[in-house]
């Protein structure tokens, strides 16, 4: 691997660590890199860091560093802190590369919106709703047993429920224009995308671990050979023992998808019939409005399905109508017009950390047929004159 490619790989891992979380293997790779080469890069990176920081002042580094620190594993906090100090310049280069890739300058953080004014909220076992949008840290055990909210995510791992005690279920609702992170009681991690809802028990009991999903979510399932993990949707169900996979039930093009990153999963229809065993890198699909539809392998790529978790839009020969549905969910807007260009397809990757206007300009640059006009939360798709 060349030097540039190696730095790109490390930058990707740092960005993923900052925004989400790393697998155990990825963390080991990053620690190994720092131990072997990171210290030699500190002095070189520091020479460029100040200039980069001045150019991209809009990056709120203090806030991002605080968010990163809250996610650090306590056992590794000392080496991770030194790693970030020595490689901070690389993280900025990742952001710069996204900007240059689309030839847009001075990108700003996306302003998150909501559908009904309530924003991201938790429907508790007693039926009450708790707004989570503006709560950074809060001990929910005062109002809902076994739940702790910290760093903008729900964590159910603090088991304070006695054996045999009724625990009830919670429902986490993420509106358009937002996403959220959840850790279930047995350690399974869930990333919930825009316009999605997940229902789950506060504490799993019985022979299986079952959750219900509407919308899209990425699961990193805690391994438990004796208690299979089931994700149920309106048209299919997924059964696993311990793995990472994505479920997308939005049905933008009439299909629901299950994408497997690692491990093994079985995917079947809602009755649990016609089970298909997926291998890493494979994607399964099922038609939404077709009677007796069967699960089958899809030609959609894994990256298209999981890019959102990495903070990216990924389009591969995708019709404009489907692209605009994703954009509408993420930015909480409504598109009007454009029905006559259904057959146009587009490809490209772009960060989700761009403004709506910048994303629309990127799409406009790829076509001579349309332009967009934004009026409040409505976006008009206008055909250009010949």
């Amino acid at each position: 691997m060349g030097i540039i490619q190696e730095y790109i790989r490390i930058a990707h891992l740092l960005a993923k660590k900052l925004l989400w979380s790393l697998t155990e293997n990825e963390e080991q790779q990053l620690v190994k890199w720092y131990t072997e080469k990171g210290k030699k890069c500190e002095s070189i990176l520091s020479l460029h860091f100040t200039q980069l920081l001045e150019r991209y002042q809009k990056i709120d580094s203090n806030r991002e560093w605080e968010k990163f620190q809250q996610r650090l594993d306590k056992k590794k906090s000392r080496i991770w802190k030194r790693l970030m100090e020595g490689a901070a310049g690389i993280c900025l280069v990742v952001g710069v590369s996204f900007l240059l890739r689309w030839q847009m300058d001075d990108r700003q953080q996306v302003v998150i919106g909501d559908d009904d004014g309530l924003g991201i909220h938790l429907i508790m076992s007693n039926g009450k709703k708790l707004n989570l949008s503006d709560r950074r840290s809060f001990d929910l055990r005062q109002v809902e047993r076994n739940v702790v909210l910290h760093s903008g995510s729900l964590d159910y791992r603090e088991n304070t429920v006695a054996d045999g005690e009724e625990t009830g279920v919670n429902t986490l609702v993420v509106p358009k224009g937002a996403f959220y992170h959840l850790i279930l009681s047995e350690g399974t991690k869930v990333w919930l995308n825009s316009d999605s809802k997940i229902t789950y028990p506060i504490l799993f009991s019985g022979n299986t671990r079952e959750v219900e999903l509407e919308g899209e979510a990425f699961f990193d399932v805690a391994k438990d050979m004796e208690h299979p993990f089931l994700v149920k949707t309106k048209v299919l169900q997924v059964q696993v023992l311990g793995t990472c996979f994505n479920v997308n039930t939005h049905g933008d093009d009439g299909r629901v998808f299950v994408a497997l990153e690692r491990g093994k999963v079985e995917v079947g229809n809602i009755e649990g019939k016609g089970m298909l065993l997926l291998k890493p890198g494979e994607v399964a699909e099922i038609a939404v409005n077709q009677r007796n539809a069967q699960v089958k392998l899809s030609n959609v790529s894994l990256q298209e399905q999981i890019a959102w978790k990495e903070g990216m839009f990924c389009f591969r020969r995708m019709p404009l109508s489907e692209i605009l549905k994703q954009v509408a969910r993420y930015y909480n807007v409504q598109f009007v017009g454009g029905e006559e260009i259904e057959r146009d397809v587009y490809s490209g990757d772009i960060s989700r950390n761009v403004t709506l206007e910048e994303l629309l300009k990127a799409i406009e640059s790829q076509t001579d047929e349309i332009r967009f006009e934004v009026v409040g939360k409505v976006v008009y798709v206008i055909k250009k004159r010949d």
Side-chain angles (χ1 to χ4, degrees):
M1 179 182 297
I3 294 178
I4 294 178
Q5 288 75 16
E6 180 182 8
Y7 284 161
I8 290 175
R9 180 179 66 86
I10 295 301
H12 172 78
L13 292 176
L14 288 172
K16 185 178 179 183
K17 178 72 178 179
L18 181 66
L19 298 173
W20 303 97
S21 64
L22 297 179
T23 65
E24 183 176 350
N25 181 52
E26 288 172 333
E27 290 199 27
Q28 291 174 354
Q29 291 180 43
L30 205 48
V31 172
K32 183 174 183 287
W33 175 85
Y34 176 75
T35 302
E36 295 177 354
K37 301 179 181 180
K39 294 181 180 180
K40 298 170 76 173
C41 296
E42 289 182 3
S43 59
I44 298 175
L45 289 171
S46 63
L47 294 175
H48 301 282
F49 180 69
T50 302
Q51 293 178 342
L52 285 171
L53 189 59
E54 290 175 352
R55 184 176 179 184
Y56 297 98
Q57 295 178 12
K58 294 185 179 181
I59 297 175
D60 191 347
S61 57
N62 290 331
R63 181 181 177 186
E64 296 304 321
W65 173 244
E66 180 182 353
K67 288 165 59 180
F68 179 77
Q69 283 184 310
Q70 292 169 346
R71 288 174 170 83
L72 292 179
D73 183 275
K74 293 181 179 179
K75 295 181 180 179
K76 296 181 179 179
S77 61
R78 184 170 301 174
I79 189 169
W80 280 120
K81 184 175 181 181
R82 292 189 64 199
L83 174 61
M84 288 302 293
E85 289 172 348
I90 292 183
C91 284
L92 283 180
V93 171
V94 174
V96 173
S97 67
F98 289 148
L99 304 184
L100 296 180
R101 185 173 187 174
W102 286 89
Q103 297 181 348
M104 298 177 183
D105 297 324
D106 301 323
R107 300 201 184 282
Q108 299 177 355
Q109 188 75 19
V110 174
V111 177
I112 300 300
D114 58 72
D115 280 328
D116 53 10
L118 189 57
I120 302 169
H121 61 277
L122 181 70
I123 303 176
M124 296 180 288
S125 55
N126 60 8
K128 294 183 178 179
K129 297 180 180 181
L130 180 66
N131 190 339
L132 303 178
S133 296
D134 56 357
R135 295 180 181 270
R136 300 195 66 177
S137 296
F138 188 67
D139 191 341
L140 293 179
R141 283 174 291 191
Q142 302 170 22
V143 292
E144 184 71 301
R145 189 187 299 271
N146 209 45
V147 191
V148 177
L149 171 67
H150 63 83
S151 304
S153 66
L154 286 173
D155 191 342
Y156 288 77
R157 289 176 296 180
E158 294 291 332
N159 188 350
T160 59
V161 182
D163 292 340
E165 184 176 348
E166 187 70 26
T167 62
V169 297
N170 283 177
T171 298
L172 176 61
V173 181
V174 179
K176 293 179 180 179
F179 57 90
Y180 210 73
H181 184 223
L182 166 71
I183 305 178
L184 300 177
S185 61
E186 31 69 275
T188 291
K189 299 177 182 179
V190 184
W191 288 262
L192 211 59
N193 204 352
S194 303
D195 196 17
S196 300
K197 177 170 67 174
I198 186 170
T199 300
Y200 50 90
I202 295 176
L203 183 66
F204 288 108
S205 61
N207 297 325
T208 60
R209 300 169 285 166
E210 297 186 14
V211 301
E212 297 180 5
L213 174 69
E214 295 180 27
E216 183 172 18
F218 184 93
F219 296 85
D220 186 348
V221 178
K223 191 172 184 179
D224 185 346
M225 300 298 290
E226 297 181 357
H227 300 88
F229 191 93
L230 297 177
V231 180
K232 293 188 175 181
T233 75
K234 291 182 178 180
V235 295
L236 58 73
Q237 65 178 14
V238 185
Q239 178 172 320
V240 303
L241 297 175
T243 186
C244 290
F245 63 98
N246 192 79
V247 181
N248 182 351
T249 72
H250 285 304
D252 290 340
D253 65 348
R255 296 178 293 174
V256 167
F257 299 97
V258 176
L260 180 62
E261 185 176 54
R262 60 177 171 84
K264 292 182 179 180
V265 301
E266 284 188 315
V267 186
N269 60 22
I270 191 60
E271 290 83 19
K273 299 179 181 179
M275 301 299 287
L276 176 66
L277 180 65
L278 290 185
K279 295 181 291 186
E282 291 183 334
V283 179
E285 66 175 59
I286 187 172
V288 176
N289 299 316
Q290 181 179 331
R291 293 187 61 183
N292 302 318
Q294 298 296 313
V295 177
K296 63 181 181 179
L297 285 178
S298 176
N299 58 4
V300 172
S301 71
L302 173 68
Q303 187 59 28
E304 286 180 72
Q305 293 295 306
I306 68 173
W308 69 269
K309 179 179 171 289
E310 308 299 333
M312 296 290 293
F313 286 106
C314 178
F315 309 128
R316 293 293 180 271
R317 293 193 58 77
M318 187 176 293
L320 179 62
S321 58
E322 293 177 33
I323 291 176
L324 297 188
K325 288 176 183 177
Q326 290 191 33
V327 174
R329 277 194 297 271
Y330 185 68
Y331 293 96
N332 190 19
V333 295
Q334 178 183 357
F335 285 90
V336 176
E339 294 81 3
E340 70 279 6
I341 49 175
E342 289 280 333
R343 291 177 294 180
D344 291 350
V345 294
Y346 300 84
S347 297
D349 296 346
I350 188 168
S351 171
R352 291 159 70 99
N353 191 32
V354 300
T355 65
L356 171 64
E357 289 77 7
E358 290 166 336
L359 177 59
L360 296 178
K361 286 180 181 178
I363 297 175
E364 286 181 353
S365 69
Q366 302 299 311
T367 177
D368 295 325
E369 295 188 20
I370 61 166
R371 64 181 179 87
F372 299 99
E373 184 174 331
V374 181
V375 181
K377 287 196 171 185
V378 176
V379 181
Y380 294 94
V381 184
I382 302 171
K383 189 172 182 179
K384 294 179 180 178
R385 296 180 179 179
D386 296 332

